[in-house]
Amino acid sequence: MGGIRMKNGKKIAFIGAGVMGGPMAGHLMDAGHSLTVYTRTREKAEALNQKGARWAASPAEAADGAEVIMTMVGYPKDVEEVYFGERGIFSTAGSGAVLIDFTTSSPQLAVRIAEQAESAGCSAVDAPVSGGDVGARNATLSIMCGGPEKAFSEILPLLEKVGQNIVYHGPAGSGQHVKMSNQVVIATSMIGVCEALAYAVKSGLDPELVLKSISAGAAGSWTLSNLAPRMLKGDFAPGFYIKHFLKDLRIALDESKALGLELPGVALAERMYTTLAETGSEDEGTQALYKLYL
Amino acid sequence: MGGIRMKNGKKIAFIGAGVMGGPMAGHLMDAGHSLTVYTRTREKAEALNQKGARWAASPAEAADGAEVIMTMVGYPKDVEEVYFGERGIFSTAGSGAVLIDFTTSSPQLAVRIAEQAESAGCSAVDAPVSGGDVGARNATLSIMCGGPEKAFSEILPLLEKVGQNIVYHGPAGSGQHVKMSNQVVIATSMIGVCEALAYAVKSGLDPELVLKSISAGAAGSWTLSNLAPRMLKGDFAPGFYIKHFLKDLRIALDESKALGLELPGVALAERMYTTLAETGSEDEGTQALYKLYL
């Protein structure tokens, strides 16, 4: 375990230090916790290593001896590998450790992790975040938590170092379910904003003036205020990647199917984003949905 | 023309004094303008009559001698009747009069009215509003305007008595097009909010807590903040009627078809609201879309 550990500082393993995990891990080190970090691509851990974090060659090595084990990876298959793989967290996680998965992932997988954690004498909290890279850098993420309430209380001081709007929602998988609700709202909201702009442009209006007329009223939304201007500029740079959003929408559809619930709005969004991904836009931002209307 | 007309007061005809038109006409009288009012149901004009407005037995009678003729009725067919009918506005409107249609109606009809107005020596402004009955009562409506810019400038002081966010968007029909853009955003936003709540409830979450987690972030919208709580309470009382929203969505689809534009999100909303209307919910509020997910 590297870094200068302060009194009450925790021994933390952080697995996955990309655009989100990197700054989050940094805030925890700044707060006096000692970090061991594992990333698939070693260079991504460089900044944390320079701050004094110790490098580990596998999730198992990172988790060995850690009091708190945090993960922020890409897809459910990565989460599965990192926890259940041959050199995964569960091969070394010590009794009493708390496992926190920040990845937006499958609620059912969160339940499996929680069950495995329990049988290993650990506890697991699913804690997906929203707020993007800006929220990660500014430690203003919203964090949606599920798992044993005792474990949540124990790690809350750590979560407060990386986020602001931190809500406990219930048993394992609850945090992931809330994040799915969040993505469901965003998906259809994006369709509406694209259709309104496309309609405005096609009917000969000045779309900037249209935004002035409609943004403050009943049509107002974060998407309209923040992404519509980028759409109009043709700025499709990723704030949030289409490939990741598509992963989320597919989880939401799988879960809703399991719950016997039809979500035609999400299904429409999933079809549209699939078309985009198949035509080379998977590494663009979600606002590139607008391209389908051009 | 009834009421005490002040210096610079205008002779205004107001046609359609329901939940929206009634308060709007009242604000104009309070500002010292003299009003003649026509409503299909005479009782609806009662409050204005008591304030000193003169009653007229037809749109033609109301429009006769008026400097400004305002309409706020229900459907495009009502607009058509009120302007082009046998006892309609165009049978008496005097040269130089300015015609203002506040109804959310067809952009193509707005263009027809503008052309007829021009050939009668008048001018017409399409000026649909948003902000609902609360906005009408508090004179805080957003007003989206199309028509000759000169006519718009002339009536702007009157519009300022009933609204706040008043934007001129271009030639006849532009106001209606902007209002359609507004409704397009709202339609899909409503689907997303319903699907997120239904998903949250079905997955066992406390939906109030979910709103706490997601309302302040990228999923945030007027719909989520204002209508989701009503959905959860089963409060489907009309702020905005489904039957009127459905009218708007059909206009948006007709117009987009004419523009060669596909709007799958709006098309989905139109199908869902049609189902609701056909099952007896047409006089409920737009948030009753949530019933389809219960």
Side-chain angles (χ1 to χ4, degrees), chain B residues 262-278:
Chain B
E262 269 192 75
L263 302 180
V266 179
L268 174 62
E270 194 273 339
R271 288 195 299 277
M272 297 177 81
Y273 276 109
T274 296
T275 301
L276 272 176
E278 285 172 356

Side-chain angles (χ1 to χ4, degrees), chain B residues 15 38 56-65 82 85-93:
Chain B
I15 291 153
Y38 166 79
S58 68
E61 192 186 314
D64 196 5
V82 150
E86 207 186 325
R87 303 283 296 143
I89 291 166
F90 283 124
S91 66
T92 57

Side-chain angles (χ1 to χ4, degrees), chain A residues 29-197:
Chain A
M29 292 190 76
D30 292 342
H33 302 289
S34 74
L35 237 84
T36 300
V37 61
Y38 166 78
T39 47
R40 211 151 38 178
T41 320
R42 184 166 185 166
E43 296 76 55
K44 285 199 180 167
E46 193 63 26
L48 292 171
N49 289 155
Q50 286 184 2
K51 258 182 129 111
R54 191 171 73 82
W55 162 261
S58 69
E61 192 187 315
D64 195 6
E67 295 164 278
V68 180
I69 301 160
M70 301 179 173
T71 50
M72 179 52 128
V73 295
Y75 296 85
K77 66 174 165 41
D78 301 317
V79 173
E80 194 156 3
E81 175 69 21
V82 152
Y83 281 88
F84 297 98
E86 206 186 325
R87 301 285 297 144
I89 291 166
F90 282 125
S91 66
T92 56
S95 171
V98 182
L99 282 42
I100 310 173
D101 186 18
F102 292 118
T103 318
T104 296
S105 169
S106 147
Q108 293 183 34
L109 180 53
V111 170
R112 266 183 62 209
I113 291 171
E115 287 168 353
Q116 179 68 32
E118 205 188 331
S119 70
C122 309
S123 45
V125 174
D126 50 301
V129 305
S130 81
D133 52 344
V134 177
R137 281 197 303 275
N138 299 337
T140 55
L141 295 168
S142 284
I143 313 181
M144 308 148 195
C145 303
E149 196 159 7
K150 187 170 162 291
F152 170 75
S153 304
E154 207 178 315
I155 58 158
L156 183 57
L158 297 178
L159 298 182
E160 285 169 344
K161 298 298 172 199
V162 297
Q164 272 179 338
N165 185 18
I166 303 161
V167 183
Y168 174 74
H169 288 279
S174 298
Q176 297 296 352
H177 278 309
V178 177
K179 182 64 189 283
M180 287 303 122
S181 299
N182 188 73
Q183 304 305 71
V184 163
V185 174
I186 293 173
T188 46
S189 186
M190 198 75 73
I191 295 175
V193 168
C194 289
E195 297 196 353
L197 288 186

Side-chain angles (χ1 to χ4, degrees), chain A residues 169 177 188 192 195 199 213 220 222 265, chain B residues 169 177 188 192 195 199 213 220 265:
Chain A
H169 288 279
H177 278 309
T188 46
E195 297 196 353
Y199 178 91
S213 257
W222 187 95
Chain B
H169 288 280
H177 277 309
T188 44
E195 297 196 353
Y199 178 91
S213 258

Side-chain angles (χ1 to χ4, degrees), chain A residues 107 142-144 165 167-169 174 176-178 180-182 184-186 188-189 191-193 195-196 198-200 202-203 205-206 209-210 212-214 216-224 252 255-256 259-266 268 272 293, chain B residues 107 142-144 165 167-169 174 176-178 180-182 184-186 188-189 191-193 195-196 198-200 202-203 205-206 209-210 212-214 216-224 252 255-256 259-266 268 272 293:
Chain A
S142 284
I143 313 181
M144 308 148 195
N165 185 18
V167 183
Y168 174 74
H169 288 279
S174 298
Q176 297 296 352
H177 278 309
V178 177
M180 287 303 122
S181 299
N182 188 73
V184 163
V185 174
I186 293 173
T188 46
S189 186
I191 295 175
V193 168
E195 297 196 353
Y199 178 91
K202 273 270 188 189
S203 59
L205 299 169
D206 174 347
L209 268 185
V210 173
K212 186 165 181 275
S213 257
I214 73 175
S221 71
W222 187 95
T223 305
L224 193 66
E255 290 288 327
S256 60
L259 295 165
L261 182 67
E262 268 191 76
L263 302 179
V266 179
L268 174 62
M272 296 176 81
Y293 293 90
Chain B
S142 284
I143 314 182
M144 305 147 197
N165 185 17
V167 183
Y168 175 74
H169 288 280
S174 299
Q176 297 297 351
H177 277 309
V178 177
M180 287 303 121
S181 299
N182 188 72
V184 163
V185 174
I186 293 173
T188 44
S189 188
I191 295 175
V193 168
E195 297 196 353
Y199 178 91
K202 274 269 187 187
S203 59
L205 300 170
D206 174 346
L209 268 186
V210 174
K212 185 162 182 277
S213 258
I214 73 176
S221 71
W222 188 95
T223 305
L224 193 66
E255 290 289 327
S256 59
L259 294 165
L261 183 67
E262 269 192 75
L263 302 180
V266 179
L268 174 62
M272 297 177 81
Y293 293 90

